Amino acid sequence: MVNKAERRGLALVPRFEYLPGLALPDLARARLALSAARAAAERGDFPCDLGGAGRTADETAERLSSAGEVLVVAGAGDEVARALLVAALERRGVAVALGAPPAAAPGAPAGAATGASAGAAPSAREELFLVAERGELSGPGAQLGALFERTDERTLQRRGAGRAAGVAPEIERIALVSGLAEARALAGEAGLLAALRVPRRLERARLDELVAAASELAARLGAERVRLAFEPRAGEPGRLGGAAWAARYGLEDARLRADLVELVDRALPQHLGLVHTALGYWEIGVDPLEEMYAGNALPDRNAELLANIV
Amino acid sequence: MSRAWSVLPPPGPLSWLHPELAGLDRAVRARAAARSPVRCVDLGAARWSTAALASAEELELAGGPLGRALREHLGAALGSGTRLTLSEAPGEVAGVLATLTAGTSWWLTPLGAADAGAELAAREALPLTPASAERVRAARRTDAAWVLPIADARDVDEALRALARDPAPFRAAGLVPFFAERAPATSGARPATRRASAWFGILPGDECPTALRLGLRELVRLLHPERTLAQRAHENHALAASDLYAQALAGRFLAPPPEARRARARIVALEGIDGSGKSSHVAGLRAFLEQRGVPCKAYKIYRHGVFHATVTDLTRRCAGEHELHLWRLQRLAKLFDSLKALEGALRADLERPGVLLFDRYVFTHLAAEAGRLHHDPYARELLASFPAPDLFWLLDLPAERALERIGQRGERTVDENRYMLGRYRDVLLDLADRRGARVLSAEAPFEANQAVLRADVVRLLEAEEVRA
C-alpha cells in the first residue's frame, strides 16, 4: 500500500486565454500539455490535474491533496497561475516540486483521461493550414515538431490521438502554406481550419493583404474556422499591462493593438466585441481569468468583503 | 427610397463564451438580411460606425436582449434625430434562445426550416440522453447548435444527473447550457443584482439564487471545461453590474485614456494600504516644505463622516449575496465624492504655485475597483479630471502587518480585512510598476523613508527652478 508521503502527483497549471476563438493556441504550451498528458497516461492511476478541467487553484489542490508531493508544471507566462496553485497546495500541507513533466516513453498515448482541451475549435476532423511569411515555412509550423510529424515538405501529420494536443484534437493534418495567395487557393477545400500568421510588425500593405485573406477565408470556410497565429515574442513574456496573455497577443505594443483591431474589424467582425473587452482588461490592468482561478469572484468573496460591517 | 433600416446587433457575451452560437447566429442573420425589404445592417458581419447609422431616419433593431442593449447605446449615441424601434419578432438566435422553454434541450436547425418566415420553426426538442448526444454529434454542422435552457435549480439538478455517469458524449456533441431569460423579479425574492440585458444566458435575470448559479458553473465545467474560467468571469461581471457589451458597443477602450490638463501646482501623491504610515509621512513632508518656505497643502480626496457612513450602509445590503450591483454603486459614489472634492478649494489650489501633498490619490480608486470587481465603473474617464502626479510613491506593507497596526485603532472600515488589504496592495504594486512610482517599504524606519521622500521633492523643485 502506498502511503500519502510516497504518492507523487502531477499538475499542469491552466493557461488563461482571452481570445480562444480568434487566436491559435500557444504551441509551446501545447507541447508541454502533450508531454504532461503522456506522462500521466503512462503512470496510470495517480493524483493528476492537467489544467484543462476548469477548476480553480483551490479546487485543484483539493483534488491533489492525497499526494505527498505534487510536481507543478507551468509554461512561460504561467507564473501567476503556478504561484496560486503552489500556495493552495501548501495550505493543504502538500509538498511541491517545480519542473518539467517526467519524460514519457516514445509513442505513449496522450490519454483521454487528461481532460485538457485546446480551446474552441470545429468538431469535425479538420485539417489546418498555417500561413507563413512570404517564401518561408519557419513560422508557427516549425514549433509543431513535438505534436506532428512532417511527412513531406508541406505536410505535418498528427503523431498520436488525445485531447492534450494544443491545435485541437480533431486536427489530423497540417498543411504549411507559403504566402497568402497559396492559402486562398487551398481554402476552396472543405473542412479546413486556417491560421494566418500575424507578424509583430505589420506594414500597411501587409495588413491589407491579411485583411483580404482573412475575409476570403472567412467567406469560404466560415469565420469560426479562421484563427490568427501571433508571432511569438523573443524571450519570456512578461506581465506588461498586468498580464502575460496581453504580451502574447502583442497588446503592449500600441501599433499592433491598433492593427489587431483593424484586422478584426475589417475581416472578422464577430470577434470585435471580445477584442474590445480584452483591450479593456489590458487597459485597466485586470486579469479576470486569473482572478477566477484564484477564487476571487465577487459572490465567492462577498461574505469576506463584508466581514467588518455586517 | 426608404430611410428605414433594419439592424442586427453584434454578438454578445453568450456568443463570446460559446462561439458556436455566433456561427449559428450568422446563418440566421444572412437569411434575415436576404429577406429584409429594407436595407439590413448586420453589425456582427460588417464594419459600421454610429455616424453611418445616423444617416437613417429610422432604425428597426432586431428584438431580443442584445437588441435592447443596442437600443440603449444608440439612443444615447444618436440623440433624437434617428427613431429607434424594436422589432416584435426576434431576428437573431439570441432572441430565440431567450424565449425557449426551460428544462428541455433543443437542437436548432435554422437552415433546414421549410418556412422562410420562421427560420427557427424546425427546432427540435431532444431528451438529454447519450443517444441524443450521438445523433447531434453525427449531424453536427456550423448552422446548428444543441442548447439546454435552464430556468431553475431543478433543471440544473436534472441535467447534472443526466451527465453524471459520463459527460463525454454530451461534451462531444457540444451541448450548450444557458439561463433562459425570465421577467425581472418574478418571485418577489431579493434580487442578486440588477442584470444588464446583454448578460442574458449568463444569469437568468435579476434573481439568481446561489445554488442555481453554482449548478450552472458545474454544468459548464463538465461540458466545456476550457470555458469554465471565462464563464465565471462573465458571471462575476454580470453580478457586479459591469456591462461589458455596452462598453464594447461604445468602443470605450479604443481611444487612449483621457488626460487632464497639467496643473500649475506640483502634485505629490503618497499611496499605500491602511496602516502604511501615509498620514505621518505627509505631515512630515509638509513641515519640511513649510520650513523651506515652499507653499504647501495636504489633501485627502477620500472623505469620511456622514457620506462614508451612508455609503457603508448601502454596502451592507449586499449581505447574503443580494444586490451585488451595489458594490459598483458604492464605488461610483466614492468616485463622485472625490470629484466633488476636486471641484472645491482644490481646483483653485491646482492653479497656484506650490506643492499639493495627497494622502492617497486616484490610484486608490483604481485599486479598489480592480481589486474587488476585476473591472472599473468608468473610473478611468471620471478620474481624468485629476492631473497626473509629478511624484508618486507607494509605501508598501503586507496585509498582515497592516492589520497588526490597524488593530490598535478601534473600529475597522469595510476594506480593513486581510483579503481587501491584500488586493489593494497587489494592484497598487502593479500600478506603481506601470506608472513608474517609487516603492518604499513601510516597515523601514520612518526617518529613512522620510529622507528619500524629501530628497525626491527637493529634486522635483530644483528641476522646476531650472526650467523657470
Side-chain angles (χ1 to χ4, degrees):
Chain A
M1 184 174 169
V2 179
N3 65 31
K4 174 173 172 167
E6 291 167 347
R7 266 170 84 85
R8 274 198 107 202
L10 173 68
L12 176 67
V13 301
R15 168 59 59 89
F16 307 134
E17 293 289 3
Y18 282 86
L19 301 171
L22 177 67
L24 193 71
D26 174 6
L27 300 175
R29 205 273 176 186
R31 275 204 306 275
L32 195 62
L34 183 66
S35 104
R38 282 188 169 147
E42 201 172 51
R43 292 173 64 177
D45 180 29
F46 78 115
C48 174
D49 187 292
L50 297 182
R55 296 189 180 89
T56 64
D58 260 333
E59 290 164 352
T60 306
E62 188 57 38
R63 284 194 77 235
L64 299 176
S65 58
S66 64
E69 182 184 75
V70 171
L71 175 66
V72 175
V73 179
D78 298 331
E79 292 78 7
V80 176
R82 181 175 65 193
L84 288 167
L85 181 57
V86 167
L89 287 164
E90 287 177 347
R91 278 198 297 276
R92 286 166 176 79
V94 178
V96 172
L98 303 178
T114 67
S117 172
S123 63
R125 290 171 78 82
E126 302 284 1
E127 290 177 359
L128 171 78
F129 63 86
L130 294 166
V131 180
E133 292 280 26
R134 293 182 190 87
E136 295 173 21
L137 294 175
S138 58
Q143 300 172 34
L144 287 164
L147 307 177
F148 289 82
E149 189 172 40
R150 190 174 280 232
T151 53
D152 61 42
E153 192 186 338
R154 294 289 174 95
T155 309
L156 297 170
Q157 189 70 40
R158 179 179 287 279
R159 263 188 198 166
R163 292 188 60 81
V167 194
E170 295 83 7
I171 294 171
E172 286 293 308
R173 188 171 74 91
I174 295 176
L176 296 171
V177 177
S178 174
L180 297 176
E182 199 176 340
R184 289 178 192 171
L186 192 60
E189 297 178 23
L192 292 170
L193 179 73
L196 295 171
R197 187 178 183 209
V198 181
R200 285 279 154 179
R201 286 283 170 266
L202 270 171
E203 292 161 8
R204 187 75 226 171
R206 176 69 172 158
L207 178 62
D208 290 342
E209 199 180 3
L210 267 176
V211 167
S215 303
E216 191 172 332
L217 292 172
R220 287 194 191 182
L221 304 178
E224 68 281 356
R225 292 172 191 273
V226 179
R227 299 283 193 281
L228 303 179
F230 290 92
E231 187 176 87
R233 279 167 60 92
E236 301 265 306
R239 276 186 58 81
L240 290 168
W245 64 268
R248 275 203 308 283
Y249 298 143
L251 295 183
E252 82 284 11
D253 181 325
R255 193 173 143 196
L256 193 56
R257 211 157 57 229
D259 287 343
L260 174 63
V261 171
E262 183 170 348
L263 173 58
V264 170
D265 189 14
R266 290 168 62 187
L268 302 163
Q270 75 279 10
H271 292 292
L272 196 57
L274 195 51
V275 168
H276 280 212
T277 300
L279 286 177
Y281 292 152
W282 175 81
E283 183 67 46
I284 57 180
V286 295
D287 194 335
L289 297 185
E290 175 189 310
E291 300 290 0
M292 297 307 109
Y293 186 60
N296 290 339
L298 182 63
D300 300 335
R301 291 286 186 182
N302 188 58
E304 213 171 329
L305 291 168
L306 291 165
N308 291 346
I309 60 167
V310 173
Chain B
M1 183 183 162
S2 167
R3 299 297 303 276
W5 295 356
S6 164
V7 179
L8 302 171
L14 192 60
S15 294
W16 300 350
L17 183 64
H18 300 298
E20 55 271 47
L21 294 181
L24 181 64
D25 225 9
R26 197 167 39 258
V28 180
R29 286 155 182 274
R31 285 166 56 90
R35 280 202 319 271
S36 177
V38 296
R39 179 174 174 183
C40 184
V41 183
D42 182 353
L43 304 185
R47 299 188 84 180
W48 63 284
S49 68
T50 306
L53 294 177
S55 60
E57 285 169 5
E58 179 182 342
L59 297 175
E60 187 189 56
L61 311 176
L66 299 186
R68 293 201 295 276
L70 182 62
R71 180 175 63 176
E72 203 170 306
H73 165 68
L74 291 177
L78 297 175
S80 56
T82 306
R83 206 157 75 86
L84 299 173
T85 57
L86 267 186
S87 66
E88 289 290 321
E92 41 172 322
V93 172
V96 173
L97 287 178
T99 63
L100 285 183
T101 312
T104 315
S105 54
W106 295 83
W107 184 14
L108 302 178
T109 56
L111 295 186
D115 176 8
E119 67 274 359
L120 288 166
R123 70 195 185 197
E124 183 182 1
L126 297 173
L128 203 56
T129 61
S132 299
E134 177 51 33
R135 184 180 152 201
V136 172
R137 193 198 59 75
R140 197 153 169 215
R141 305 178 311 184
T142 56
D143 55 8
W146 195 31
V147 298
L148 178 65
I150 301 287
D152 52 34
R154 194 184 53 186
D155 292 339
V156 174
D157 288 345
E158 280 177 14
L160 286 173
R161 266 200 300 278
L163 270 65
R165 185 172 295 174
D166 182 13
F170 300 94
R171 197 180 290 166
L175 181 64
V176 174
F178 77 104
F179 276 132
E181 179 145 290
R182 289 191 298 193
T186 48
S187 72
R190 279 183 69 197
T193 188
R194 299 305 301 272
R195 192 210 66 177
S197 171
W199 288 117
F200 98 95
I202 306 293
L203 296 180
D206 291 353
E207 290 173 23
C208 184
T210 303
L212 178 57
R213 191 168 47 72
L214 297 182
L216 187 73
R217 280 185 179 183
E218 182 60 10
L219 258 184
V220 171
R221 197 187 71 75
L222 289 174
L223 291 168
H224 302 278
E226 75 283 2
R227 299 175 190 171
T228 307
L229 294 178
Q231 186 254 349
R232 289 186 184 190
H234 284 350
E235 177 205 280
N236 177 81
H237 288 130
L239 286 167
S242 293
D243 191 348
L244 303 189
Y245 186 67
Q247 295 179 25
L249 288 175
R252 181 184 171 200
F253 294 106
L254 291 190
E259 279 184 29
R261 192 164 56 85
R262 188 174 160 82
R264 191 161 179 213
R266 297 284 65 86
I267 310 291
V268 173
L270 197 54
E271 288 281 6
I273 62 175
D274 291 327
S276 59
K278 297 178 297 298
S279 303
S280 306
H281 278 295
V282 165
L285 274 176
R286 186 176 182 179
F288 170 73
L289 289 168
E290 285 174 350
Q291 241 176 12
R292 293 171 64 105
V294 178
C296 171
K297 275 192 179 177
Y299 269 101
K300 286 191 176 192
I301 57 169
Y302 299 82
R303 300 190 289 193
H304 286 262
V306 175
F307 162 76
H308 197 269
T310 307
V311 174
T312 302
D313 277 345
L314 191 72
T315 311
R316 281 196 185 95
R317 293 183 59 84
C318 298
E321 286 73 71
H322 295 303
E323 302 184 78
L324 295 173
H325 62 282
L326 294 178
W327 280 115
R328 182 173 184 269
L329 190 62
Q330 66 104 2
R331 283 304 322 148
L332 279 168
K334 289 180 177 177
L335 279 164
F336 277 109
D337 191 59
S338 288
L339 288 173
K340 194 175 167 191
L342 173 67
E343 295 310 326
L346 174 54
R347 177 63 78 192
D349 283 336
L350 285 169
E351 299 311 320
R352 296 192 185 102
V355 173
L356 300 182
L357 298 166
F358 284 87
D359 182 344
R360 298 185 189 278
Y361 201 50
V362 296
F363 307 107
T364 290
H365 277 305
L366 301 176
E369 284 141 8
R372 186 186 287 114
L373 306 175
H374 320 306
H375 213 273
D376 81 295
Y378 287 90
R380 190 182 81 137
E381 291 80 356
L382 289 168
L383 294 172
S385 301
F386 284 88
D390 298 281
L391 283 175
F392 167 17
W393 297 301
L394 173 60
L395 283 168
D396 181 44
L397 186 67
E400 293 75 17
R401 289 286 297 122
L403 284 171
E404 287 169 23
R405 293 184 182 186
I406 294 165
Q408 295 143 23
R409 285 189 194 167
E411 197 176 332
R412 291 182 178 178
T413 69
V414 64
D415 290 333
E416 288 175 342
N417 59 73
R418 188 180 306 277
Y419 174 67
M420 263 323 281
L421 288 176
R423 299 318 320 272
Y424 272 104
R425 183 189 186 212
D426 287 348
V427 183
L428 286 172
L429 281 167
D430 187 48
L431 285 167
D433 188 36
R434 298 173 84 184
R435 309 288 180 106
R438 185 193 282 279
V439 180
L440 298 167
S441 168
E443 297 188 270
F446 178 85
E447 294 73 19
N449 279 342
Q450 187 69 192
V452 174
L453 302 183
R454 289 176 182 185
D456 282 353
V457 173
V458 168
R459 265 195 298 278
L460 172 70
L461 296 177
E462 285 174 352
E464 287 296 315
E465 281 170 19
V466 169
R467 271 200 288 276

